[in-house]
Amino acid sequence: MPQKPYPAELVEQFTLRDGARVTIRPIRAQDLEIERAFVRDMSVESRYFRFLHTLRQLDESTLIRFTDIDYDGQMALIAVVCENGFEVQVGVARYAVGSSGRDCEFAVAVADCWQGKGIAGRLMRQLMRAARDRGIETMEGFVHYGNHGMFALADALGFRTEPMPGDVSLRRVVRDLRESVPASSLA
Ligand SMILES: CC(C)(COP(=O)(O)OP(=O)(O)OC[C@H]1O[C@@H](n2cnc3c(N)ncnc32)[C@H](O)[C@@H]1OP(=O)(O)O)[C@@H](O)C(=O)NCCC(=O)NCCS
């Protein structure tokens, strides 16, 4: 199957308030090892909030599925920094398109020591832009009821929160991508 062209228009660079340079770019198959290290180094709580079950590291087939993507049915943007000459992954936001082709489910995570710096906000805004540009109208995610940081982020990004019928431990956050992103400190 021919490879989908790399969506280089989604590459973005910015500087955090503390001066660190961050690059957001679509993930590549060659990023398997930095994605593996990123998930392995997450705290137990962050991994639980991201995957909604206890897991220590991703198995090989999941890592391949997460990194070798077609940028069509699946999109993933990673945030990377340079540390001691090596590229280190500090965040990821991804979506998978649903069967209608007009809806998608997202997930996002930022390395524990890089949280609270605005990285998830930047990743999510770029991910929402990518989805909108590909004709996707609705984005949803499933959030553990105790994940206050994610609810605050979702709220700042214009998502509304709904109960999940049949699962009291989760809430659904959902957003119509055709509505503009609210202006905020997450610019
Ligand atoms: C939730 C998570 C992705 C947020 O990442 P982050 O990079 O720290 O978020 P940001 O710094 O971009 O925060 C953006 C906004 O979200 C809100 N926010 C994020 N974390 C918050 C927290 N712990 N408490 C309150 N507000 C918070 C704030 O409104 C913030 O805006 P501000 O910068 O103006 O204060 C991160 O904590 C994480 O990776 N958690 C573990 C994995 C997870 O829960 N994933 C969600 C599964 S869908």
Short mmCIF file of all heavy atoms in Angstrom, two decimals, residues 17 42 45-47 49-51 106-111 114-122 141-143 147-150 152-154 156 185-186, ligand 1:
data_model
loop_
_atom_site.label_atom_id
_atom_site.label_comp_id
_atom_site.label_asym_id
_atom_site.label_seq_id
_atom_site.Cartn_x
_atom_site.Cartn_y
_atom_site.Cartn_z
N ARG A 17 7.26 29.47 28.38
CA ARG A 17 7.62 30.62 29.22
C ARG A 17 9.00 30.46 29.87
O ARG A 17 9.69 31.42 30.10
CB ARG A 17 6.55 30.82 30.31
CG ARG A 17 5.64 31.98 29.99
CD ARG A 17 4.62 32.17 31.09
NE ARG A 17 3.29 32.11 30.50
CZ ARG A 17 2.25 31.53 31.05
NH1 ARG A 17 2.34 30.96 32.21
NH2 ARG A 17 1.09 31.52 30.43
N MET A 42 5.90 7.64 32.13
CA MET A 42 4.75 8.33 32.73
C MET A 42 4.53 7.80 34.15
O MET A 42 4.81 6.63 34.44
CB MET A 42 3.47 8.06 31.91
CG MET A 42 3.39 8.82 30.61
SD MET A 42 2.05 8.16 29.57
CE MET A 42 0.66 9.07 30.21
N GLU A 45 -0.28 7.23 37.82
CA GLU A 45 -1.57 7.93 37.72
C GLU A 45 -1.80 8.46 36.30
O GLU A 45 -2.89 8.31 35.74
CB GLU A 45 -1.64 9.09 38.72
CG GLU A 45 -3.01 9.76 38.67
CD GLU A 45 -3.09 11.03 39.50
OE1 GLU A 45 -2.50 12.05 39.11
OE2 GLU A 45 -3.77 10.98 40.54
N SER A 46 -0.77 9.07 35.70
CA SER A 46 -0.94 9.60 34.34
C SER A 46 -1.26 8.49 33.35
O SER A 46 -2.12 8.64 32.48
CB SER A 46 0.32 10.34 33.90
OG SER A 46 0.42 11.57 34.57
N ARG A 47 -0.54 7.35 33.49
CA ARG A 47 -0.82 6.22 32.58
C ARG A 47 -2.24 5.73 32.78
O ARG A 47 -2.94 5.40 31.83
CB ARG A 47 0.17 5.09 32.82
CG ARG A 47 1.35 5.11 31.86
CD ARG A 47 2.00 3.75 31.75
NE ARG A 47 2.31 3.21 33.04
CZ ARG A 47 3.47 3.33 33.68
NH1 ARG A 47 4.46 3.96 33.09
NH2 ARG A 47 3.65 2.81 34.85
N PHE A 49 -4.87 7.49 33.86
CA PHE A 49 -5.80 8.47 33.28
C PHE A 49 -5.80 8.41 31.75
O PHE A 49 -6.81 8.61 31.11
CB PHE A 49 -5.45 9.88 33.75
CG PHE A 49 -5.97 10.21 35.12
CD1 PHE A 49 -5.34 11.19 35.88
CD2 PHE A 49 -7.08 9.58 35.66
CE1 PHE A 49 -5.81 11.52 37.15
CE2 PHE A 49 -7.56 9.90 36.92
CZ PHE A 49 -6.93 10.87 37.67
N ARG A 50 -4.62 8.12 31.17
CA ARG A 50 -4.55 8.07 29.70
C ARG A 50 -5.19 6.80 29.14
O ARG A 50 -5.95 6.84 28.19
CB ARG A 50 -3.08 8.19 29.26
CG ARG A 50 -2.78 7.74 27.82
CD ARG A 50 -3.52 8.58 26.79
NE ARG A 50 -3.30 8.09 25.44
CZ ARG A 50 -4.04 7.15 24.84
NH1 ARG A 50 -5.06 6.61 25.48
NH2 ARG A 50 -3.77 6.78 23.61
N PHE A 51 -4.86 5.64 29.75
CA PHE A 51 -5.29 4.38 29.14
C PHE A 51 -6.49 3.76 29.85
O PHE A 51 -7.04 2.77 29.39
CB PHE A 51 -4.12 3.39 29.09
CG PHE A 51 -3.01 3.87 28.20
CD1 PHE A 51 -1.85 4.43 28.73
CD2 PHE A 51 -3.13 3.81 26.81
CE1 PHE A 51 -0.83 4.89 27.90
CE2 PHE A 51 -2.13 4.27 25.98
CZ PHE A 51 -0.97 4.82 26.53
N PHE A 106 -10.46 11.35 20.64
CA PHE A 106 -9.09 11.81 20.91
C PHE A 106 -8.57 11.25 22.23
O PHE A 106 -9.34 10.80 23.08
CB PHE A 106 -9.03 13.35 20.97
CG PHE A 106 -9.50 13.92 22.29
CD1 PHE A 106 -8.60 14.13 23.32
CD2 PHE A 106 -10.83 14.22 22.50
CE1 PHE A 106 -9.02 14.63 24.55
CE2 PHE A 106 -11.26 14.71 23.73
CZ PHE A 106 -10.36 14.92 24.76
N ALA A 107 -7.26 11.32 22.38
CA ALA A 107 -6.60 11.09 23.67
C ALA A 107 -5.36 11.97 23.68
O ALA A 107 -4.79 12.27 22.63
CB ALA A 107 -6.22 9.62 23.84
N VAL A 108 -4.96 12.42 24.87
CA VAL A 108 -3.81 13.31 24.98
C VAL A 108 -3.04 12.97 26.25
O VAL A 108 -3.64 12.53 27.24
CB VAL A 108 -4.26 14.80 24.96
CG1 VAL A 108 -5.23 15.11 26.09
CG2 VAL A 108 -3.09 15.76 24.98
N ALA A 109 -1.74 13.15 26.23
CA ALA A 109 -0.93 12.95 27.44
C ALA A 109 0.34 13.79 27.33
O ALA A 109 0.89 13.97 26.23
CB ALA A 109 -0.57 11.47 27.60
N VAL A 110 0.78 14.27 28.47
CA VAL A 110 2.02 15.05 28.55
C VAL A 110 2.87 14.43 29.67
O VAL A 110 2.32 14.03 30.72
CB VAL A 110 1.70 16.55 28.82
CG1 VAL A 110 2.96 17.33 29.17
CG2 VAL A 110 1.02 17.17 27.60
N ALA A 111 4.17 14.35 29.45
CA ALA A 111 5.08 13.79 30.46
C ALA A 111 4.91 14.55 31.77
O ALA A 111 4.76 15.78 31.77
CB ALA A 111 6.52 13.93 29.96
N TRP A 114 6.61 17.80 32.47
CA TRP A 114 6.35 18.85 31.48
C TRP A 114 4.90 19.35 31.55
O TRP A 114 4.47 20.15 30.73
CB TRP A 114 6.67 18.35 30.06
CG TRP A 114 8.14 18.20 29.85
CD1 TRP A 114 8.92 17.12 30.18
CD2 TRP A 114 9.04 19.17 29.30
NE1 TRP A 114 10.22 17.36 29.85
CE2 TRP A 114 10.34 18.60 29.31
CE3 TRP A 114 8.88 20.47 28.79
CZ2 TRP A 114 11.45 19.29 28.84
CZ3 TRP A 114 9.99 21.15 28.32
CH2 TRP A 114 11.26 20.56 28.35
N GLN A 115 4.15 18.87 32.53
CA GLN A 115 2.74 19.30 32.63
C GLN A 115 2.65 20.72 33.20
O GLN A 115 3.55 21.20 33.88
CB GLN A 115 1.96 18.32 33.52
CG GLN A 115 1.79 16.96 32.84
CD GLN A 115 1.07 15.94 33.70
OE1 GLN A 115 0.54 16.25 34.76
NE2 GLN A 115 1.06 14.69 33.25
N GLY A 116 1.53 21.37 32.93
CA GLY A 116 1.27 22.71 33.46
C GLY A 116 2.02 23.81 32.73
O GLY A 116 2.11 24.94 33.20
N LYS A 117 2.55 23.50 31.54
CA LYS A 117 3.32 24.49 30.78
C LYS A 117 2.62 24.90 29.49
O LYS A 117 3.16 25.63 28.67
CB LYS A 117 4.71 23.92 30.43
CG LYS A 117 5.60 23.64 31.64
CD LYS A 117 6.84 22.86 31.19
CE LYS A 117 7.74 22.51 32.36
NZ LYS A 117 8.58 23.64 32.79
N GLY A 118 1.43 24.35 29.26
CA GLY A 118 0.68 24.72 28.06
C GLY A 118 0.85 23.75 26.90
O GLY A 118 0.34 24.01 25.80
N ILE A 119 1.58 22.64 27.09
CA ILE A 119 1.86 21.74 25.96
C ILE A 119 0.61 21.02 25.48
O ILE A 119 0.34 20.95 24.27
CB ILE A 119 2.99 20.75 26.33
CG1 ILE A 119 4.30 21.53 26.54
CG2 ILE A 119 3.16 19.68 25.25
CD1 ILE A 119 5.46 20.70 27.02
N ALA A 120 -0.21 20.51 26.40
CA ALA A 120 -1.43 19.81 25.96
C ALA A 120 -2.37 20.75 25.22
O ALA A 120 -3.01 20.36 24.23
CB ALA A 120 -2.14 19.18 27.16
N GLY A 121 -2.45 21.99 25.68
CA GLY A 121 -3.30 22.96 24.99
C GLY A 121 -2.85 23.16 23.55
O GLY A 121 -3.66 23.16 22.62
N ARG A 122 -1.52 23.29 23.34
CA ARG A 122 -1.00 23.48 21.98
C ARG A 122 -1.25 22.23 21.13
O ARG A 122 -1.64 22.31 19.97
CB ARG A 122 0.51 23.77 22.02
CG ARG A 122 0.91 25.03 22.72
CD ARG A 122 0.46 26.27 22.01
NE ARG A 122 1.17 26.55 20.78
CZ ARG A 122 1.88 27.68 20.57
NH1 ARG A 122 1.98 28.61 21.51
NH2 ARG A 122 2.47 27.90 19.42
N GLY A 141 -13.99 12.49 23.70
CA GLY A 141 -13.00 11.76 24.48
C GLY A 141 -13.66 11.23 25.74
O GLY A 141 -14.73 11.71 26.13
N PHE A 142 -13.01 10.24 26.37
CA PHE A 142 -13.58 9.61 27.56
C PHE A 142 -12.60 9.84 28.72
O PHE A 142 -11.43 9.48 28.63
CB PHE A 142 -13.86 8.13 27.29
CG PHE A 142 -14.84 8.00 26.17
CD1 PHE A 142 -14.42 7.75 24.87
CD2 PHE A 142 -16.18 8.23 26.39
CE1 PHE A 142 -15.32 7.69 23.81
CE2 PHE A 142 -17.11 8.17 25.35
CZ PHE A 142 -16.67 7.90 24.06
N VAL A 143 -13.10 10.48 29.75
CA VAL A 143 -12.24 11.00 30.81
C VAL A 143 -12.68 10.42 32.15
O VAL A 143 -13.88 10.43 32.48
CB VAL A 143 -12.32 12.55 30.85
CG1 VAL A 143 -11.40 13.11 31.93
CG2 VAL A 143 -11.98 13.15 29.49
N ASN A 147 -10.20 13.03 36.91
CA ASN A 147 -9.14 13.67 36.13
C ASN A 147 -9.43 15.17 35.97
O ASN A 147 -9.77 15.65 34.90
CB ASN A 147 -9.03 12.97 34.77
CG ASN A 147 -7.76 13.34 34.04
OD1 ASN A 147 -7.05 14.26 34.43
ND2 ASN A 147 -7.49 12.63 32.95
N HIS A 148 -9.24 15.92 37.07
CA HIS A 148 -9.64 17.33 37.07
C HIS A 148 -8.85 18.16 36.06
O HIS A 148 -9.39 19.08 35.46
CB HIS A 148 -9.50 17.90 38.48
CG HIS A 148 -10.29 17.12 39.49
ND1 HIS A 148 -11.67 17.04 39.45
CD2 HIS A 148 -9.90 16.33 40.51
CE1 HIS A 148 -12.09 16.25 40.43
NE2 HIS A 148 -11.04 15.79 41.08
N GLY A 149 -7.56 17.83 35.89
CA GLY A 149 -6.74 18.56 34.93
C GLY A 149 -7.31 18.45 33.52
O GLY A 149 -7.38 19.42 32.78
N MET A 150 -7.74 17.23 33.15
CA MET A 150 -8.28 17.02 31.80
C MET A 150 -9.62 17.73 31.63
O MET A 150 -9.90 18.28 30.56
CB MET A 150 -8.42 15.52 31.51
CG MET A 150 -8.78 15.23 30.07
SD MET A 150 -7.57 15.86 28.87
CE MET A 150 -8.64 16.53 27.61
N ALA A 152 -10.47 20.50 33.11
CA ALA A 152 -10.17 21.94 32.99
C ALA A 152 -9.67 22.24 31.58
O ALA A 152 -10.07 23.24 30.96
CB ALA A 152 -9.13 22.33 34.03
N LEU A 153 -8.81 21.35 31.07
CA LEU A 153 -8.29 21.55 29.71
C LEU A 153 -9.42 21.46 28.68
O LEU A 153 -9.55 22.31 27.79
CB LEU A 153 -7.21 20.50 29.41
CG LEU A 153 -6.68 20.43 27.98
CD1 LEU A 153 -6.02 21.73 27.58
CD2 LEU A 153 -5.68 19.28 27.84
N ALA A 154 -10.27 20.45 28.81
CA ALA A 154 -11.37 20.26 27.86
C ALA A 154 -12.31 21.48 27.88
O ALA A 154 -12.75 21.97 26.83
CB ALA A 154 -12.15 18.98 28.21
N ALA A 156 -11.49 24.55 28.74
CA ALA A 156 -10.80 25.69 28.13
C ALA A 156 -10.81 25.58 26.60
O ALA A 156 -10.75 26.59 25.90
CB ALA A 156 -9.37 25.76 28.64
N SER A 185 -5.80 31.82 27.31
CA SER A 185 -4.36 31.82 27.54
C SER A 185 -3.69 30.62 26.89
O SER A 185 -2.49 30.46 26.95
CB SER A 185 -4.09 31.80 29.04
OG SER A 185 -4.69 30.66 29.60
N LEU A 186 -4.49 29.73 26.30
CA LEU A 186 -3.93 28.53 25.65
C LEU A 186 -3.43 28.81 24.24
O LEU A 186 -3.07 27.90 23.55
CB LEU A 186 -5.00 27.44 25.56
CG LEU A 186 -5.52 26.84 26.84
CD1 LEU A 186 -6.62 25.85 26.54
CD2 LEU A 186 -4.42 26.17 27.60
C1 LIG B 1 -4.43 16.39 31.31
C2 LIG B 1 -3.07 16.73 30.71
C3 LIG B 1 -3.01 16.20 29.28
C4 LIG B 1 -2.87 18.26 30.69
O1 LIG B 1 -1.62 18.53 30.10
P1 LIG B 1 -0.84 19.89 30.38
O2 LIG B 1 0.24 20.01 29.36
O3 LIG B 1 -0.44 19.93 31.79
O4 LIG B 1 -1.97 20.96 30.12
P2 LIG B 1 -1.70 22.48 29.78
O5 LIG B 1 -0.51 22.96 30.55
O6 LIG B 1 -1.68 22.65 28.31
O7 LIG B 1 -2.97 23.12 30.39
C5 LIG B 1 -3.88 23.72 29.58
C6 LIG B 1 -5.02 24.25 30.42
O8 LIG B 1 -5.70 23.13 30.99
C7 LIG B 1 -6.07 23.42 32.31
N1 LIG B 1 -5.38 22.49 33.19
C8 LIG B 1 -4.51 21.51 32.81
N2 LIG B 1 -4.13 20.80 33.88
C9 LIG B 1 -4.77 21.35 34.96
C10 LIG B 1 -4.81 21.03 36.34
N3 LIG B 1 -4.12 20.00 36.84
N4 LIG B 1 -5.59 21.77 37.14
C11 LIG B 1 -6.31 22.79 36.64
N5 LIG B 1 -6.31 23.14 35.35
C12 LIG B 1 -5.55 22.43 34.52
C13 LIG B 1 -5.79 24.84 32.53
O9 LIG B 1 -6.93 25.55 32.10
C14 LIG B 1 -4.66 25.13 31.57
O10 LIG B 1 -4.68 26.46 31.19
P3 LIG B 1 -3.58 27.50 31.77
O11 LIG B 1 -2.30 27.08 31.09
O12 LIG B 1 -4.10 28.80 31.29
O13 LIG B 1 -3.55 27.31 33.24
C15 LIG B 1 -1.91 16.13 31.55
O14 LIG B 1 -2.11 16.45 32.90
C16 LIG B 1 -1.73 14.64 31.40
O15 LIG B 1 -1.01 14.16 30.53
N6 LIG B 1 -2.39 13.84 32.26
C17 LIG B 1 -2.25 12.38 32.22
C18 LIG B 1 -2.90 11.78 30.99
C19 LIG B 1 -4.35 12.19 30.88
O16 LIG B 1 -5.04 12.40 31.85
N7 LIG B 1 -4.82 12.28 29.62
C20 LIG B 1 -6.20 12.60 29.33
C21 LIG B 1 -6.88 11.39 28.75
S1 LIG B 1 -8.13 11.87 27.57
#
